[in-house]
Structures are given as structure tokens and as C-alpha cells.
Amino acid sequence: MAEKFKAPRGTFDVLPEQEPVRSWIHDAARRALRAAGYGRIETPVFEDTDLFARGVGESTDIVQKQMFTFEDQGGRSLTLRPEATASICRAYLEHGMQTRAQPVKLWTDGPFFRHERPQAGRYRQFTQIDAEAIGSDSPLVDAEMIVLANDILAELGVEDVRLRLGSLGTPATRSAYLDELRSYLRSRENELSDDVRGRIDANPLRAFDADHEGTRKVMDEAPTLLERLDEADADHFDEVRHLLDQNGLNYELDPTLVRGLDYYTRTVFEFECKRLGAQSGIGGGGRYDALVEQLGGPATPACGWALGVDRIALALEQTEGGKLERRDGVFVVAEADERQRALALVTRLRRAGVTADLDLSDRATKGQMKQADRVGARYALILGKGKATLRDMTSGDERQVDPARVAEEIAD
Ligand code: HAM
């Protein structure tokens, strides 16, 4: 027998039974974003490689190691998009959106690609819902966006979510701070773990995450970036926090929050679901006030986030019962001589916008009831000699109905 193919490493198929929860996530986000005035944009799945090199940052892991890059027939270097922000800023400039009323609020969703080491929750093709508000530096924008992401996750019923919040200030503040932190760590080098000591130059912030007792003591007294923000950045951050408090959001201040993309300035945030393992980040984002200019546009402040659909779906799988048990529509159960009537009825229901299905495999009535349950029908409509019975698949209640009025019956 010929060898069978498998989906490429780090990718997966979404099977019909896994699709409803994903659609539900996309629908909840779409509703919330529309209600908040965000317009949907679609950009290509691949872009010029330089857009990401310049946009995401040459020194990031994403650009250094994780891009799926290829040459087209004309020798141009193209890359499958690893994220949406750079593409959306490119589109903002390409279509002259800076002349529209600011900020321009945009969102998108779809597949993204990063050549990462695959593990549970980390894939080479994954799905994001992304929102961007371009053209305003108001702390209201940061707060609006964080509240929106928070409310989408809450509406979906994702449990054990933690929101971490920080501010990075400007690149100049950040690099001065990292120098200060390196000198501080060197001044207490003999108290640090070997691992942290070896990374003072490459990644001094890592020291804040250490479990090693000596290192923890040193870090308790270490300077933090939040203490080094300049006055304008500190005021901006205070205002964002005040607005989040006013809107009833719980968050943890995390002065060590770093994100894997270079473009962030000021506010950064990450939503984590504690039920997931190592890959617990279900969404994140922040302000990126210099990116549009870096991409050749005028100085334009902006802010955005992306939610990870695959990880949210994993988190919901681990949420007990509740909102995921969503039955929908009608399954028509019919004896052999009622089959034609069943199809006519299903057709009528479908034309009226009702989810409706019927047996297509000559099952006995008992098997059809099982199938009604399996497909997740809310009701079974049992067509018998001269009568029709509507059975509520959740409660088991049954009542006689007029088959011509099923759509109205189930709408009540
Ligand atoms: P990010 O933190 O790189 O941010 O990705 C956002 C979310 O996408 C993550 O929290 C995670 O849920 C999901 N994600 C990322 N990589 C993978 C992967 N390999 N497998 C599964 N899920 C993944 C961004 O992409 C920024 N563009 C967000 C943003 C928008 N910042 C400003 N505007």
C-alpha cells in the first residue's frame, strides 16, 4: 500500500466536531468588535519579507528563526505572515487611512505561521483574532482595547484568566533601564544562580522569573522599569490603570512583562489561562507608537492585540459543562414511509433559517434518535402515523405539534 500523508509537523486539521467551538469564538469576537466600531480588514496571507523584518524587528525570534520565507518566480522574497499588526499598518498607509477620522479601528482573523518547536498549544499554523486602533495616543484607546479582549474572554466563559499589565516606556528608557539592571546584577553576581548569571548580558529580565532563592532575594530589591518611566509615560500608564479600575477589570502589575515583538512602546498586556500548561498565553498586545513611522508613514500612535483562537478552544475544552453544551436545531426522525415527508419538512425549515437535519442512512427510529443526540440537535421531531411529536433533547419533554408550525413552535 502507498504510504499515507499526514498534516505537516506543527499543523492540524479542524474536524467537524471541533469546529462549533471555534466558530463560537470567532462569532463572539466579531459581535463585540462590531459593537465597538471596529471594521473588518483582510490582508494577504503573505507579504514582502522586509515588511516583517522591519515591522516585527530584526532581532526578534520571530524574524530570526520562525518565518516561513520563500522566493516567488520573480526572485522576490515573500513570507507567510507571522502576525497581523505589520500587515494592517502597511494597509493603513497604502490606502491613505491617515486622512480618515482617527483612530481607525480595524480587526481581522485568520491563519498565521511561525516555525516554532511544536508542543501542546504551540503550532506552526495557528489562528488569531486581531484588533488594532491606529491614530490616537489616548489612554482611552489602551483601556478600551483591554476591556474588549477581557469581555470577549468573559463572554466565552474562559475560566482562570489572569491579566498581566506593564509599561515599557520608550525604547530609550528601556535600554537605559536594561543597562542599569545589568550593572545591578553584576554587583550581586555571587548571589545569583548559574543560569541567571550566564544570561546577564543576553536577557537580564529573565532573572525576575527565577525560582532560585538567592536570585529571588536579589530581585526583590532590583530596580524595575516601571520606576524608571519618564513623566509622560508614567502619567499615561497611570491613566490606563485608572480606566481599567473604573471598568472593573482585575489585573496584575508586571514590571517584567516582555513581549516577543520589538514594536511595543508604553502599555503592554497579556492574558493567560492558568488551566493551560506551558503555552498559557491566550492573547496579548500593547501600544506601538513608532511602528507606522518605521514603515514609512507619518508619526502615528497605535495600539492593538491578538487573541489565540486555538489556545482559547483548548481552554474551553477544559471548562466543565456550562456554555459549551449548546444544542441547536431540529432532527427529523421518520419511519421508512415518512422519509419523503421528512426531507420536505427539513427543506422548509432550512429555508426558514432553522438548523435542520434528517437520517440519510436508513436507520431504525431508535438509531435516528441516537443520531439526533449525536449531531447535537436541540429538538427531535418524530413523524409518526398522522402525528408529529416534538421532543426537547435536553429535558426529555415531549408535545404534539403541527408539522407546518415547527419553526414557530421552537422559536417560542
Ligand atoms: P503574540 O503574543 O505573538 O502577539 O500572539 C498573540 C496570541 O497568539 C498569543 O497570546 C497566542 O495565544 C497566539 N499564538 C502566538 N503564537 C502561537 C503559536 N505558535 N501557536 C498557537 N498560538 C499562538 C502578536 O501576534 C501581536 N501581533 C499582537 C498585537 C496586535 N500587538 C499589537 N497589536
Side-chain angles (χ1 to χ4, degrees):
M1 262 212 296
E3 201 189 326
K4 289 188 194 126
F5 291 104
K6 284 186 167 171
R9 200 164 130 71
T11 71
F12 57 91
D13 302 306
V14 177
L15 303 179
E17 59 273 27
Q18 297 163 331
E19 189 275 340
V21 69
R22 299 173 66 90
S23 289
W24 187 42
I25 297 168
H26 287 280
D27 290 349
R30 180 179 307 126
R31 267 197 313 276
L33 288 161
R34 280 220 183 114
Y38 285 73
R40 183 177 163 82
I41 183 164
E42 284 183 30
T43 61
V45 166
F46 55 84
E47 300 265 4
D48 286 337
T49 300
D50 282 348
L51 173 69
F52 300 120
R54 241 200 291 162
V56 175
E58 293 278 7
S59 66
T60 59
D61 275 357
I62 294 181
V63 170
Q64 296 254 315
K65 304 182 202 157
Q66 298 175 351
M67 298 211 296
F68 283 96
T69 296
F70 58 98
E71 250 183 35
D72 71 5
Q73 268 83 342
R76 275 175 295 265
S77 179
L78 299 170
T79 292
L80 295 181
R81 59 184 186 182
E83 61 108 48
T85 314
S87 303
I88 291 181
C89 290
R90 194 259 313 131
Y92 172 92
L93 289 172
E94 186 168 340
H95 302 285
M97 292 192 218
Q98 63 272 33
T99 61
R100 300 185 185 184
Q102 306 291 299
V104 177
K105 303 207 268 189
L106 301 166
W107 76 278
T108 195
D109 55 5
F112 294 85
F113 307 85
R114 293 182 195 172
H115 195 277
E116 298 202 68
R117 181 131 31 100
Q119 65 178 82
R122 195 207 272 155
Y123 311 106
R124 291 183 175 172
Q125 176 175 335
F126 55 97
T127 306
Q128 283 186 347
I129 296 164
D130 182 280
E132 313 289 348
I134 307 177
S136 165
D137 65 1
S138 168
L140 286 167
V141 174
D142 311 47
E144 176 188 80
M145 298 216 74
I146 297 172
V147 170
L148 259 174
N150 176 80
D151 286 8
I152 292 168
L153 295 171
E155 146 126 33
L156 291 169
V158 186
E159 292 174 351
D160 286 334
V161 176
R162 180 162 86 117
L163 167 59
R164 292 157 67 209
L165 181 73
S167 175
L168 300 180
T170 58
T173 313
R174 205 148 68 229
S175 95
Y177 166 73
L178 289 178
D179 286 344
E180 181 188 353
L181 182 62
R182 285 190 189 99
S183 324
Y184 172 77
L185 290 172
R186 274 194 208 100
S187 74
R188 300 185 60 174
E189 215 167 18
N190 50 0
E191 297 168 64
L192 302 174
S193 71
D194 292 347
D195 185 38
V196 168
R197 196 177 317 122
R199 287 173 154 272
I200 293 180
D201 279 332
N203 190 356
L205 287 169
R206 186 60 72 79
F208 283 102
D209 299 331
D211 288 329
H212 177 256
E213 204 178 317
T215 308
R216 294 268 296 262
K217 234 175 106 206
V218 173
M219 298 323 287
D220 283 345
E221 292 154 30
T224 68
L225 179 52
L226 289 179
E227 295 159 355
R228 297 293 182 265
L229 295 182
D230 69 28
E231 206 181 323
D233 291 347
D235 286 349
H236 191 275
F237 191 50
D238 283 347
E239 185 61 18
V240 172
R241 290 180 55 190
H242 173 66
L243 291 164
L244 293 179
D245 292 339
Q246 252 189 356
N247 282 275
L249 257 71
N250 291 319
Y251 55 84
E252 290 168 31
L253 263 197
D254 186 345
T256 65
L257 181 59
V258 275
R259 310 239 326 116
L261 304 106
D262 267 357
Y263 47 61
Y264 292 111
T265 52
R266 294 189 161 176
T267 316
V268 283
F269 52 91
E270 229 161 61
F271 289 91
E272 278 179 9
C273 175
K274 289 179 247 170
R275 293 189 179 197
L276 297 175
Q279 302 305 314
S280 60
I282 52 175
R287 187 162 267 294
Y288 51 93
D289 290 343
L291 178 58
V292 174
E293 196 173 4
Q294 266 164 37
L295 296 179
T300 310
C303 185
W305 51 245
L307 296 176
V309 173
D310 316 283
R311 290 186 191 168
I312 295 174
L314 283 177
L316 288 174
E317 266 171 33
Q318 294 178 24
T319 303
E320 306 271 306
K323 299 200 175 182
L324 270 187
E325 179 63 31
R326 290 180 321 131
R327 295 191 156 267
D328 182 29
V330 182
F331 191 94
V332 177
V333 173
E335 291 184 8
D337 52 356
E338 298 278 357
R339 290 280 157 84
Q340 293 182 353
R341 200 151 75 92
L343 181 60
L345 185 57
V346 163
T347 301
R348 223 173 40 236
L349 286 169
R350 287 177 181 164
R351 287 182 181 155
V354 176
T355 302
D357 208 349
L358 78 166
D359 171 51
L360 300 172
S361 299
D362 277 335
R363 291 184 180 85
T365 342
K366 211 169 144 202
Q368 293 185 41
M369 286 303 292
K370 259 200 194 143
Q371 184 66 2
D373 186 43
R374 232 180 271 135
V375 300
R378 174 90 172 81
Y379 296 97
L381 181 72
I382 306 146
L383 295 183
K385 317 235 161 358
K387 62 175 192 175
T389 309
L390 191 65
R391 180 186 170 87
D392 184 321
M393 297 296 287
T394 314
S395 66
D397 293 347
E398 290 189 356
R399 61 182 196 271
Q400 302 292 315
V401 293
D402 173 359
R405 288 190 35 84
V406 174
E408 292 85 346
E409 288 279 348
I410 65 169
D412 293 345

